[in-house]
Amino acid sequence: MASKIPANLQEDVRLRAKFLCEYCHAHEIWQHIPFTIDHLIPVIAGGTDGFDNLALACFHCNRRKSDRQSAIDPLTGETVLLFNPRQHQWSEHFVWSVDGLLIVPLTAVGRATCELLEFNRERVIRIRRADIEVKRHPPADDPIQLTPTE
C-alpha cells in the first residue's frame, strides 16, 4: 500500500537535504520536476514514513534505487549496502572529479551506489557541464578531487 507523506514532513526532508538529491547531489531548484521522497528502508521491507527513514531523491535516483538497499560492488563483485544518507557521510564515499563533471566513488558503498544509480550517465554530465558554466555546480560544500589520480 502506498504511503502518503504529509507536506510539512516532505518540506522538513527538503530543508534537511538543503534541496539536494541526497544520492547524486543534483539541486532541486534547478530541476523542472520536484524531487521525490525516498524511503531508505522501503515500506515493503518494514520501513516507515518517519523523518529518519526519508531522503530527498531526484526522480532518476529514486527510480533506480527502487526498493533496493544493497547492490554489487563492480570492483569486487561483493554485495554491499547502498549509500544511506542517514548512516553515511556523502564526502566519505564520493568526491567530484577535478572538472566537476563526474562523481568519483571512494568506497565499495560508493562504487555500488554510483553504478546502480548511474550517477555519471551522459545526460546528467551534459547538465552538470551547463551548470558549471553558470557557476551553480558542484554544490559548495562537496569535496572535489585535487588531482585526477586521487
Side-chain angles (χ1 to χ4, degrees):
M1 180 166 71
S3 63
K4 177 68 177 161
I5 302 167
N8 63 331
L9 182 54
Q10 291 185 41
E11 187 61 20
D12 289 345
V13 171
R14 284 186 161 77
L15 290 170
R16 177 182 59 198
K18 300 177 184 172
F19 301 94
L20 296 176
C21 171
E22 295 191 62
Y23 299 104
C24 72
H25 277 195
H27 205 298
E28 185 178 40
I29 64 171
W30 308 121
Q31 307 298 313
H32 299 288
I33 303 171
F35 285 176
T36 60
I37 304 296
D38 175 52
H39 288 86
L40 298 167
I41 299 172
V43 173
I44 196 167
T48 70
D49 288 344
F51 186 63
D52 289 339
N53 191 43
L54 302 175
L56 188 63
C58 69
F59 180 78
H60 182 84
C61 285
N62 198 345
R63 184 184 63 198
R64 293 287 303 167
K65 179 181 170 283
S66 186
D67 61 353
R68 295 177 185 92
Q69 297 179 67
S70 62
I72 304 295
D73 173 1
L75 182 64
T76 66
E78 302 280 328
T79 299
V80 299
L81 291 174
L82 290 172
F83 176 75
N84 178 324
R86 298 292 79 74
Q87 297 176 351
H88 304 121
Q89 291 294 317
W90 197 90
S91 61
E92 293 176 4
H93 296 278
F94 309 104
V95 64
W96 288 104
S97 60
V98 173
D99 61 8
L101 294 176
L102 302 174
I103 295 175
V104 179
L106 302 173
T107 64
V109 168
R111 289 188 300 269
T113 304
C114 188
E115 176 137 324
L116 179 70
L117 303 187
E118 300 176 330
F119 283 169
N120 296 317
R121 62 195 183 282
E122 191 57 40
R123 182 176 184 277
V124 77
I125 290 171
R126 286 193 305 268
I127 293 169
R128 290 174 188 154
R129 184 174 288 118
D131 286 348
I132 288 170
E133 288 179 16
V134 294
K135 303 193 183 316
R136 62 183 187 201
H137 178 80
D141 295 334
D142 284 1
I144 299 172
Q145 281 184 321
L146 299 176
T147 65
T149 58
E150 192 175 322

